[in-house]
Amino acid sequence: MSEGYATEETFTTADADAYDRWLDTTIAVGILGFVLAMAAVGQVVTLTASGDALNGVFLTLSAVVTGAVGLTAGLAALNVVAVESRRVRGVGLGLLAATLLLTAVVYATGVQLVTLFGLVLLVDSVSLVGAGIASWTGSVDTQPNASAGILTGSVFALVGFGIGAAVGGAFLDGPLYLVAGLLGAALFGVGTIVPREDIGSTLPTAAVTAVFAAVILTGAIGPDWQWLPEGLSGGFSGVIVVPLFVLFGSLFTSWSAAKCRARFGARGRQYGAFLVIYLNAVMMVAVMVSIVFFVVSRGVTYAFHGVQIGALSLLVLLAPLLVLAINRARNPSGTSEWHSAARQSFRIAPVAAIGSLAVVLVGLIVTGETLDYAFEYTVLGDGREEVPIDTVAAITPETAVGAWVLAFPTLILAVYFFRNASSLRGVGTRSPTLERVQQAVPLVGTGLALATIAYVLVGTGFPVLVTVGTGLVVAGAAAAAGATLFALSALTSGPEGLLDNAQYVPVGLAGGVTLLAVTAFLEPTVTVSPGVGPIDIVPAVALLGVLVGAVVAVAAAVARNRGGDDRVFVSQALLGLSAVCGFLTILGLHAAFTGAPVDLGVATVANVGSFDWPFVMQSYVPLGIEPGGIYPAVIGTVWLVVGASTFAIPLGVGAAVFLTEYIEQGSFTAVVETATNALWSTPSVVFGLFGAALLIPRLGDQRSLLAGMLVLGFMLLPLVLITSREAIKSVPDEYRDASAALGVSRWETIRSVVLPAAMPGVITGVILGVGRIAGETAPLILVLGSTLNTPNAADVLGNFQLLSSAPFVFNGAVMESTAALPTGIWATIAAGVSGSQSRGWGTALVLLLVVLMLYSIGIVSRTYFRRKLNYE
Amino acid sequence: MSETITETETATESTTDSAQTTSGESQERLREEWTHYRFDGPPKLSVEDLNVWYGDDHALKDVSMDIPEKSVTALIGPSGCGKSTFLRCLNRMNDRINIANIEGSVELDGSEIYDPNTNLVELRKRVGMVFQAPNPFPKSIRDNISYGPRKHGDIETGLLARLLGRDDKDEEQEIVERSLKQAALWEEVSDRLDDNALGLSGGQQQRLCIARCLAVDPEVILMDEPASALDPIATSKIEDLIEELAEDYTVVVVTHNMQQAARISDQTAVFLTGGELVEYDDTDKIFENPESQRVEDYITGKFG
């Protein structure tokens, strides 16, 4: 094994432990300094902050770091996530220790942030000197090169020049500062290149850091410091310069410490480079985030006024993310080569982030405090003057969870777990009871479903129907409870129960969830929710199911850890989790359908109240200071995209199939191809004119949602056609041959082999196209009507009418003009229709979010189809 | 026996002569003689004067041959000699090539497959095909196997079938298991039937393709150089498999590899440049004592 690929353990000896921990902590302090300096540059915290203000910052920081390190360490201890690298562990613990120590210092002494920065740099500097000397004297076994190298030397020479010139400029007159600069460059360059690497790459860094520390601590450059160069109208202030010093000082120290930690030499250089790149990447991301932040900041106060969400609701929404993050963290990190540490740290980062957030949220619930952010936004007053209004965005300690907030994530998780569990067919014995349950569940389920349909059609006009319906709901819930308990009986039948009666688990749990789900749908159609006293029966059975699912999952996990059939137990654990989520979904559905909150003691599942976003969830208020929202425009845009997609996607894909699979490639296809390409690059306003001149006279002679849908559909069509054609063409002919050789007809082949294989490409086209049409403004002005004064959202679903004559289906809502986000922006900002400018920016922000949401739906479905192709 | 040898020698001489001197008629007669293979029982496939053109390219010239049931017939010859074209005529895969023009007759159990009334679905169910490069669908192993039967309506699965009480999951499992066992793949994949077929090794993929072909219960299996893309170990597995399959199926296999043809086939047909079938006889005969000088040259490596 060559040195370059040696694992870390090769170089780790017991007596070097203290040295390693020391340097890990130094790196951690460097990272901490870097992050704090970035926060100071971004003015998140001011340099002069001290006392309560700084205490708050450090308390939050401590919570974040504790959550991150704590959750990761906890999962590592439970063997859910592997953290093998000693370096990752060391830096993690170092971060924890350094953060807690700094927090303690801040609390105890009440120093200003700027002083703290100086101290941090001083500590960094001293540790580096210690590490360098330890290596030089041979107290630690290292492999330094003869020199730190020309490149490093040049960098330090440059830094030396800067320091020399600055110091010279402060004390000397005229061009002499140049001499001082050159002197500094020579000193640092020689000091880096001439000595052995362990001295050459620690002492210069320590010196630079010490200079920064001295400048800051002596107050030579403090928050009040100003530099006004001639010829510039502005200047530089200490508020920016001090954090920049800390930023660079921390970067240098982390780099040097990383080199020391990896014992210099080739490995040292690599680790050092990795750390610098990592921190630079963090900075890049931070810069990009701040650019987006600046762009949206103009609209954000308006868009997010009065936003509120309960902490528990947020926690529920975190659950799917946690599962994703754990999944990512469980991926093997490859070989045990030393730089697997890098990959490991990337893998566990999301888990750590969620841990931080969860700790903060739980903290809110426990302490009962509200995490709020106060700000003000402006609206247009009566006399068209800007009126500032105070508002606040808050995470409340509320323990109510919105019904849909609960139902959606848990439904996704239930399906996810269920799909990941492998089939237990043929495992264990088949008892007569199992047979009976397996036969009974579909019968009862179908009966309940038929009853639901009957109640939808007939209604509950007669009292007797309600009585019967109540009976059915009770029977359904009882059957669900029975099936669920049947799953539990696998556990009670002895230690081998989970293996012998393996199929009890899937049959019982799936049966229970299905039956209760059908019952939950039956309930609102009968308009009853039977129960004993204050406890309704459906949520009670759902809670029972949650418990049973959890018990089964834990039992299976324990059985697996004791050793045994991995596949069976893992499947059962996943099925248990799936049932937990499924029953929670039903709990949410029950609350949503019946409108009655479900009280769970510590928490409540409520229909309203846990989430409020006035700007998006309220309708437009025509006049007055109360700003109202853009709900009709959001709904309008969503309907436009949905309508255009339903029109264009089948047509485009169908045409692509026809052009690619059925007709010969020749002049006709060439003409069609040119035409579609030309159509794709046609200006959108031309589409609008086409719609206004051709469609509107034929669609009730008024601008309408339907006309908007059709015009946007025409715009979407060419892109869908082009990308689908490319995707279908790229499906290998081998698949078609293989299918034909089995005697399968062409259409069947297209349907079951070609289209699934082409799906990711088709979806990519749809994603691009939808992104374009969602933000399209010009044609909508012409065909949709750009009215802001629509107080009501288009109620498309509730407006379907069945007619006895052609066209048989009529929808009043799509025949009317409505609002859309892009036209709303145009109207407020460009045309000056009512509302302040910030209202327009807010609308733009919401439009961005809507497009982003559509993108993410597209990307998720593309990933799904790709996975299906690649892994199944 | 001695008479035959004499005849052969005379024939060989006359061929070599005729290469310079004409006498096309006698050459034609000789070719007919050499390609007429006699065997007991009715032929499974009977090809009569088959000609194929790809545009102006005359790819197959007047090929006639009878293929016996439940045996392995190897088609060998240099590249571009028309052996794959011939194979693709046997289940009308050449119909899929727009510029292909086919004349002549191919009978399967005595009924003409180029009859306009022939049911292509039925024909291709009876005459299955395995391609040169393994081409499993990007689906699970199970779905690859059950694809054919499902599309032919032999089994029904899915939610709708289950609701209507017609879920054939057990039958599907049976077909999958039987086909994979026949293709000698069951042992290797029985625990991961729901994994993607593209995750299998090349040799396993090819055996999966054979299993997929077997799942629709064919009578004839056409194989177009089934082992040319595989390593030696996978090749020998496929060869063993072909020999086993010949007990129940009529196998026609195109191969580039003469040793392979000698190892696995019962009879061998040699195609030479220009799309001619030059000689067709028992494999031993072809490899030990061919009638035609050109075939001997080809087999001993002097040409081709």
Side-chain angles (χ1 to χ4, degrees):
Chain A
M1 198 184 266
S2 78
E3 196 173 298
Y5 288 95
T7 57
E8 194 179 4
E9 276 67 27
T10 324
F11 296 99
T12 313
T13 53
D15 49 299
D17 247 358
Y19 173 81
D20 283 350
R21 294 295 83 79
W22 180 246
L23 281 170
D24 281 338
T25 313
T26 311
I27 294 173
V29 171
I31 294 173
L32 211 57
F34 188 81
V35 171
L36 280 173
M38 279 208 303
V41 171
Q43 315 255 304
V44 179
V45 52
T46 56
L47 280 179
T48 49
S50 66
D52 279 346
L54 200 57
N55 289 351
V57 170
F58 271 87
L59 202 60
T60 317
L61 190 67
S62 299
V64 167
V65 173
T66 313
V69 178
L71 180 68
T72 315
L75 287 175
L78 290 172
N79 224 351
V80 175
V81 171
V83 186
E84 286 144 14
S85 163
R86 295 167 58 86
R87 226 173 262 156
V88 173
R89 291 179 179 204
V91 173
L93 291 179
L95 266 179
L96 189 62
T99 315
L100 294 180
L101 189 70
L102 283 186
T103 311
V105 168
V106 166
Y107 263 82
T109 61
V111 289
Q112 284 193 338
L113 181 61
V114 57
T115 321
L116 197 69
F117 272 148
L119 288 174
V120 164
L121 287 182
L122 199 64
V123 168
D124 276 342
S125 165
V126 172
S127 347
L128 273 183
V129 173
I133 288 174
S135 167
W136 173 254
T137 55
S139 358
V140 187
D141 185 20
T142 55
Q143 290 84 30
N145 288 359
S147 158
I150 299 284
L151 184 66
T152 320
S154 321
V155 171
F156 275 100
L158 212 62
V159 175
F161 179 82
I163 292 177
V167 173
F171 296 110
L172 303 168
D173 287 332
L176 273 179
Y177 77 94
L178 270 181
V179 178
L182 287 176
L183 214 65
L187 193 66
F188 272 88
V190 169
T192 309
I193 296 172
V194 173
R196 213 170 67 173
E197 192 193 11
D198 47 1
I199 291 297
S201 55
T202 52
L203 290 194
T205 318
V208 173
T209 321
V211 169
F212 285 161
V215 166
I216 294 173
L217 282 178
T218 56
I221 294 181
D224 307 325
W225 179 79
Q226 286 280 344
W227 180 41
L228 301 165
E230 288 166 40
L232 275 181
S233 57
F236 300 94
S237 71
V239 177
I240 289 298
V241 173
V242 170
L244 282 182
F245 279 1
V246 181
L247 215 55
F248 281 108
S250 303
L251 206 60
F252 277 130
T253 348
S254 314
W255 169 77
S256 283
K259 272 185 119 176
C260 296
R261 172 67 175 89
R263 306 293 194 274
F264 305 102
R267 282 156 35 88
R269 283 169 191 225
Q270 201 159 340
Y271 190 25
F274 159 69
L275 212 79
V276 170
I277 291 168
Y278 200 167
L279 288 178
N280 266 327
V282 170
M283 195 155 69
M284 282 300 144
V285 172
V287 167
M288 263 154 54
V289 167
S290 48
I291 288 173
V292 173
F293 185 76
F294 174 76
V295 171
V296 299
S297 63
R298 295 180 149 210
V300 77
T301 52
Y302 198 100
F304 286 95
H305 69 256
V307 171
Q308 274 194 13
I309 185 163
L312 197 62
S313 297
L314 254 188
L315 269 178
V316 169
L317 291 174
L318 273 185
L321 294 181
L322 179 64
V323 171
L324 267 184
I326 288 183
N327 232 358
R328 182 185 156 86
R330 282 170 63 92
N331 279 339
S333 61
T335 61
S336 58
E337 282 172 29
W338 77 268
H339 56 272
S340 71
R343 263 177 272 149
Q344 261 182 40
S345 59
F346 281 121
R347 279 190 302 116
I348 55 181
V351 175
I354 292 174
S356 320
L357 199 52
V359 166
V360 173
L361 292 175
V362 171
L364 289 182
I365 296 175
V366 172
T367 58
E369 284 193 33
T370 302
L371 186 71
D372 52 12
Y373 175 66
F375 56 91
E376 63 178 28
Y377 67 106
T378 50
V379 297
L380 230 48
D382 288 337
R384 294 195 75 76
E385 81 284 5
E386 301 260 309
V387 181
I389 298 182
D390 283 324
T391 184
V392 69
I395 301 175
T396 61
E398 200 173 352
T399 53
V401 180
W404 293 111
V405 171
L406 181 67
F408 272 123
T410 50
L411 178 65
I412 293 170
L413 282 182
V415 173
Y416 173 82
F417 286 132
F418 188 75
R419 282 185 58 88
N420 277 336
S422 52
S423 163
L424 292 177
R425 262 178 104 78
V427 180
T429 48
R430 296 191 64 83
S431 67
T433 337
L434 179 70
E435 298 277 351
R436 275 202 295 280
V437 174
Q438 239 174 349
Q439 283 162 359
V441 167
L443 271 180
V444 179
T446 317
L448 289 171
L450 289 178
T452 312
I453 296 171
Y455 273 100
V456 169
L457 294 177
V458 178
T460 49
F462 306 99
V464 64
L465 285 177
V466 177
T467 316
V468 171
T470 313
L472 282 174
V473 170
V474 173
T484 313
L485 290 174
F486 172 68
L488 197 63
S489 71
L491 289 177
T492 53
S493 57
E496 290 295 306
L498 275 177
L499 264 187
D500 283 345
N501 298 328
Q503 300 198 32
Y504 282 27
V505 173
V507 170
L509 291 180
V513 172
T514 318
L515 291 182
L516 198 60
V518 179
T519 312
F521 278 101
L522 178 62
E523 255 189 326
T525 54
V526 190
T527 61
V528 293
S529 61
V532 185
I535 303 158
D536 285 352
I537 186 162
V538 170
V541 173
L543 274 183
L544 172 78
V546 170
L547 279 181
V548 170
V551 168
V552 168
V554 170
V558 169
R560 182 206 166 200
N561 275 0
R562 285 203 189 123
D565 194 330
D566 225 38
R567 189 175 74 88
V568 174
F569 291 135
V570 168
S571 279
Q572 284 173 335
L574 285 173
L575 286 168
L577 289 177
S578 172
V580 168
C581 297
F583 281 116
L584 283 175
T585 311
I586 296 172
L587 208 58
L589 289 181
H590 172 82
F593 289 158
T594 59
V598 180
D599 194 356
L600 304 178
V602 286
T604 320
V605 181
N607 210 4
V608 285
S610 74
F611 178 60
D612 188 25
W613 188 357
F615 186 58
V616 171
M617 290 161 68
Q618 284 178 12
S619 281
Y620 177 66
V621 179
L623 279 175
I625 262 177
E626 193 52 43
I630 52 165
Y631 181 67
V634 175
I635 295 298
T637 289
V638 168
W639 274 119
L640 280 172
V641 170
V642 168
S645 307
T646 24
F647 166 65
I649 294 172
L651 213 60
V653 176
V657 166
F658 176 72
L659 287 172
T660 318
E661 295 283 323
Y662 281 94
I663 60 170
E664 242 173 272
Q665 307 301 306
S667 46
F668 176 66
T669 49
V671 168
V672 173
E673 210 152 285
T674 317
T676 35
N677 287 342
L679 211 57
W680 172 235
S681 34
T682 303
S684 58
V685 70
V686 176
F687 278 97
L689 285 173
F690 158 79
L694 194 86
L695 289 179
I696 286 178
R698 287 160 183 78
L699 290 173
D701 214 7
Q702 64 173 356
R703 293 192 268 192
S704 64
L705 185 57
L706 184 63
M709 287 173 174
L710 287 177
V711 167
L712 293 186
F714 285 129
M715 290 182 57
L716 183 58
L717 194 56
L719 187 69
V720 172
L721 179 57
I722 293 168
T723 47
S724 305
R725 270 204 76 176
E726 288 309 316
I728 292 172
K729 271 187 198 163
S730 68
V731 175
D733 262 341
E734 279 82 28
Y735 297 162
R736 298 183 181 90
D737 280 347
S739 187
L742 288 168
V744 176
S745 70
R746 188 172 279 202
W747 167 240
E748 281 288 343
T749 306
I750 291 167
R751 205 174 61 95
S752 32
V753 180
V754 177
L755 279 185
M759 213 42 145
V762 172
I763 293 175
T764 306
V766 172
I767 294 173
L768 288 174
V770 162
R772 179 182 177 191
I773 61 166
E776 207 47 77
T777 318
L780 290 187
I781 294 171
L782 291 165
V783 299
L784 179 70
S786 63
T787 170
L788 264 181
N789 307 328
T790 317
N792 298 317
D795 181 15
V796 175
L797 284 184
N799 259 306
F800 276 107
Q801 285 174 294
L802 298 177
L803 305 178
S804 55
S805 61
F808 301 111
V809 184
F810 180 74
N811 194 321
V814 297
M815 298 308 291
E816 279 167 16
S817 173
T818 186
L821 291 170
T823 49
I825 298 170
W826 172 78
T828 22
I829 291 188
V833 184
S834 69
S836 54
Q837 292 266 320
S838 48
R839 181 194 174 86
W841 285 106
T843 315
L845 179 59
V846 173
L847 176 62
L848 270 183
L849 293 179
V850 168
V851 171
L852 220 62
M853 202 182 67
L854 293 170
Y855 271 11
S856 53
I857 291 175
I859 288 168
V860 166
S861 50
R862 181 173 62 184
T863 316
Y864 169 77
F865 280 108
R866 212 173 263 168
R867 283 244 169 112
K868 217 172 135 188
L869 279 182
N870 294 338
Y871 307 96
E872 191 93 17
Chain B
M1 280 300 277
S2 62
E3 275 177 12
T4 336
I5 295 170
T6 331
E7 264 179 38
T8 320
E9 280 165 357
T10 338
T12 319
E13 276 160 23
S14 66
T15 334
T16 21
D17 291 350
S18 68
Q20 283 90 29
T21 59
T22 67
S23 166
E25 200 178 303
S26 74
Q27 199 185 351
E28 191 53 38
R29 209 177 51 241
L30 276 171
R31 197 166 75 105
E32 250 169 56
E33 173 65 25
W34 293 339
T35 60
H36 189 70
Y37 174 60
R38 296 168 190 82
F39 53 86
D40 299 332
K44 184 75 188 171
L45 282 160
S46 173
V47 181
E48 205 52 53
D49 290 329
L50 190 66
N51 279 286
V52 177
W53 289 266
Y54 291 127
D56 293 334
D57 182 18
H58 198 171
L60 213 56
K61 286 178 192 154
D62 295 326
V63 174
S64 302
M65 68 187 276
D66 289 346
I67 293 170
E69 204 178 5
K70 295 189 181 168
S71 62
V72 181
T73 308
L75 311 177
I76 61 172
S79 301
C81 69
K83 54 194 190 303
S84 292
T85 302
F86 175 76
L87 193 75
R88 292 169 67 92
C89 285
L90 300 183
N91 67 345
R92 291 185 57 176
M93 283 296 277
N94 275 335
D95 291 16
R96 289 167 51 75
I97 299 170
N98 288 326
I99 54 167
N101 190 2
I102 302 148
E103 277 176 17
S105 125
V106 178
E107 287 181 358
L108 174 65
D109 283 337
S111 56
E112 175 61 48
I113 71 166
Y114 278 96
D115 191 284
N117 297 326
T118 302
N119 181 347
L120 263 186
V121 171
E122 202 54 35
L123 170 70
R124 288 182 184 154
K125 264 176 82 174
R126 290 175 65 189
V127 184
M129 188 160 197
V130 176
F131 296 84
Q132 180 170 5
N135 57 353
F137 298 125
K139 297 171 184 287
S140 70
I141 295 172
R142 185 195 305 281
D143 287 349
N144 260 285
I145 307 279
S146 62
Y147 177 79
R150 217 183 278 180
K151 292 297 158 196
H152 293 307
D154 297 341
I155 52 173
E156 284 182 72
T157 52
L159 197 61
L160 188 65
R162 202 173 306 162
L163 282 179
L164 298 172
R166 286 207 307 248
D167 191 2
D168 298 329
K169 252 198 140 50
D170 293 332
E171 272 163 68
E172 182 191 34
Q173 179 69 18
E174 218 167 85
I175 291 177
V176 169
E177 193 170 334
R178 173 179 62 81
S179 312
L180 285 173
K181 277 180 177 161
Q182 275 182 309
L185 191 59
W186 175 252
E187 303 289 323
E188 292 160 55
V189 301
S190 59
D191 56 340
R192 47 179 173 143
L193 291 178
D194 293 312
D195 288 3
N196 192 340
L198 298 180
L200 297 175
S201 74
Q204 288 173 326
Q205 286 189 8
Q206 192 60 301
R207 276 178 284 152
L208 177 68
C209 292
I210 294 174
R212 179 175 66 188
C213 167
L214 294 173
V216 293
D217 236 343
E219 297 162 25
V220 181
I221 302 173
L222 310 176
M223 297 189 178
D224 192 353
E225 303 186 35
S228 69
L230 305 179
D231 66 82
I233 293 171
T235 303
S236 86
K237 280 188 182 163
I238 299 278
E239 286 180 8
D240 293 346
L241 178 58
I242 291 174
E243 282 179 283
E244 271 169 44
L245 289 176
E247 287 168 19
D248 299 306
Y249 304 92
T250 308
V251 181
V252 184
V253 52
V254 165
T255 174
H256 249 107
N257 181 333
M258 280 180 280
Q259 282 75 31
Q260 189 175 59
R263 278 195 297 268
I264 61 173
S265 66
D266 299 308
Q267 53 276 335
T268 300
V270 185
F271 287 74
L272 290 181
T273 328
E276 285 174 73
L277 172 62
V278 180
E279 196 164 338
Y280 173 42
D281 213 325
D282 280 330
T283 300
D284 297 344
K285 173 88 168 63
I286 294 279
F287 279 93
E288 280 159 22
N289 191 11
E291 306 278 343
S292 156
Q293 183 65 38
R294 287 165 72 202
V295 170
E296 187 167 344
D297 288 351
Y298 174 66
I299 284 169
T300 52
K302 285 187 190 158
F303 134 82

